Amino acid sequence: MSFWSSITEKMAFNSLSEFLAMGKHGIHVWMSYGFFVLCLVILLVSLFRETTSLEKELKREGLLDDTKTEK
Amino acid sequence: MIPKSFYKILSYKFYIPFSKKTTPWLFTISAILLLIGVVWGLLFSPPDYQQGNSFRIIYIHVPAAIFSTLVYLFLALMSAIYLIWRIKLAAMLARATAVLGAFYTLITLVTGAIWGQPTWGTWWTWDIRLTSQLILFFFYLGYIALDQAFEDRETADQMTSIISLIGLIMVPIIKFSVYYFESIHQTSTIFASGGPAIPPSMFYPLLLTIFATFVFSFAYVGKKSLNLIYREQLQRHYMRQQ
């Protein structure tokens, strides 16, 4: 309890609703972070999907030598 | 003049396993740094006395802006190395950075616009800093389009390398526009004369997110270039079969 309250004391907000409201800038802050997260997800999903499909194709063509490249 | 071990590092044979081993760690480290930085910045940093809580957007805007230009510098450097020494890995690394840099630039523009609305009273203005950043975005898009426009790999690498060197002019314009021209955008906070013009409680989380972006860039480019090498290997394989 005292540990948790020592953390919450240092926070800039007193409640969750205050945190979500961000003063009068809730829309701006969350729109920015939302856009950032969206970009990150698009970047990473396309990157990892590309790797998976390429490795599958390489394996099918017998070009990916697992014994050599891994471990 | 160049030691032999240096050439070894530049070869695919060494690069592929190296990249495979390091990128998962880099992704993990950058995720941890980003998470700490964002939680600290959103929850524990005090609100700005002028801007209120909208200043919290800097924890993504500033790293994205810094690396939109640094990634471009890297892209241009790799293109120059390719044009001068014909090192294939350099062209590969240059191509691997383009999409990442375009995303950084887009994030910079969008978060900047969202921050500008309450702070400057406008989403967008044709200010030199903002406009030069937009032109950098178009250079990234041009690079990506050109990269895909040519069927012959060498022609494409040649053209994209030249375009990226032309676009290099934008980097100093973006950096120094706020000092030498009348700009609505403030000058650098971190590299202000007399040290960072920002209190530590706001600055440390910013340093964390900047460092997270730095590590993430290496992770992304490491993995993306591996994909490009795979693609090339497949293409060569199909060519041989024909």
Side-chain angles (χ1 to χ4, degrees):
Chain A
M1 179 61 200
S2 63
F3 172 71
W4 183 244
S5 59
S6 72
I7 290 175
T8 51
E9 255 173 38
K10 291 197 179 80
M11 286 181 185
F13 307 95
N14 294 318
S15 66
L16 181 68
S17 57
E18 214 178 275
F19 171 64
L20 293 175
M22 285 279 160
K24 54 187 193 306
H25 296 306
I27 292 170
H28 302 96
V29 172
W30 298 122
M31 219 156 63
S32 293
Y33 277 82
F35 183 75
F36 168 69
V37 170
L38 182 76
C39 285
L40 211 57
V41 168
I42 292 170
L43 260 180
L44 287 175
V45 167
S46 61
L47 180 69
F48 280 80
R49 267 196 188 164
E50 192 186 18
T51 309
T52 320
S53 77
L54 281 168
E55 279 181 342
K56 213 187 252 171
E57 203 176 338
L58 282 165
K59 238 173 225 169
R60 199 188 59 215
E61 299 294 327
L63 292 171
L64 197 68
D65 196 348
D66 283 5
T67 52
K68 260 187 195 167
T69 46
E70 278 172 22
K71 276 164 202 171
Chain B
M1 199 149 149
I2 302 167
K4 243 187 181 156
S5 58
F6 190 64
Y7 276 109
K8 202 175 146 196
I9 293 167
L10 294 178
S11 71
Y12 286 179
K13 217 171 151 189
F14 180 86
Y15 180 78
I16 292 170
F18 169 77
S19 160
K20 257 190 171 173
K21 246 177 234 156
T22 49
T23 48
W25 289 102
L26 294 177
F27 275 121
T28 314
I29 293 166
S30 70
I32 294 167
L33 288 172
L34 183 73
L35 204 67
I36 300 171
V38 164
V39 169
W40 190 345
L42 278 176
L43 268 172
F44 295 96
S45 284
D48 187 80
Y49 80 102
Q50 268 184 330
Q51 300 172 22
N53 285 302
S54 72
F55 99 91
R56 290 177 207 281
I57 293 169
I58 66 162
Y59 297 118
I60 46 179
H61 177 76
V62 171
I66 289 174
F67 284 94
S68 69
T69 48
L70 284 188
V71 163
Y72 198 88
L73 278 181
F74 179 81
L75 193 160
L77 179 73
M78 286 301 131
S79 300
I81 289 175
Y82 171 74
L83 284 178
I84 297 166
W85 289 292
R86 298 283 148 183
I87 295 168
K88 265 199 319 184
L89 187 64
M92 206 59 96
L93 288 172
R95 290 171 64 209
T97 56
V99 172
L100 181 71
F103 265 92
Y104 283 159
T105 316
L106 185 66
I107 290 169
T108 308
L109 288 167
V110 170
T111 57
I114 295 170
W115 177 85
Q117 199 274 326
T119 318
W120 296 337
T122 179
W123 299 96
W124 182 262
T125 164
W126 294 102
D127 174 83
I128 181 154
R129 177 45 100 59
L130 279 59
T131 310
S132 53
Q133 187 75 17
L134 183 67
I135 294 170
L136 183 74
F137 182 57
F138 291 143
F139 266 105
Y140 273 121
L141 293 187
Y143 183 99
I144 295 165
L146 212 56
D147 186 41
Q148 291 172 348
F150 294 94
E151 226 163 88
D152 180 46
R153 197 58 261 156
E154 248 187 87
T155 319
D157 285 344
Q158 196 101 1
M159 296 306 282
T160 51
S161 297
I162 291 165
I163 275 287
S164 75
L165 289 178
I166 295 169
L168 198 55
I169 184 77
M170 295 319 295
V171 175
I173 292 177
I174 291 169
K175 174 65 191 161
F176 298 112
S177 58
V178 287
Y179 297 99
Y180 298 116
F181 298 91
E182 243 173 73
S183 173
I184 190 172
H185 198 284
Q186 69 248 56
T187 54
S188 177
T189 303
I190 300 171
F191 301 106
S193 57
I198 178 173
S201 55
M202 292 175 175
F203 189 42
Y204 291 146
L206 181 61
L207 276 181
L208 279 171
T209 54
I210 289 171
F211 197 59
T213 317
F214 179 69
V215 179
F216 179 80
S217 306
F218 276 96
Y220 181 91
V221 173
K223 199 167 172 62
K224 182 72 188 178
S225 52
L226 209 58
N227 283 356
L228 293 174
I229 291 171
Y230 284 160
R231 218 172 265 283
E232 195 195 60
Q233 283 177 343
L234 277 167
Q235 252 161 9
R236 228 184 294 144
H237 175 70
Y238 292 137
M239 291 261 269
R240 250 181 275 138
Q241 280 184 336
Q242 275 172 6

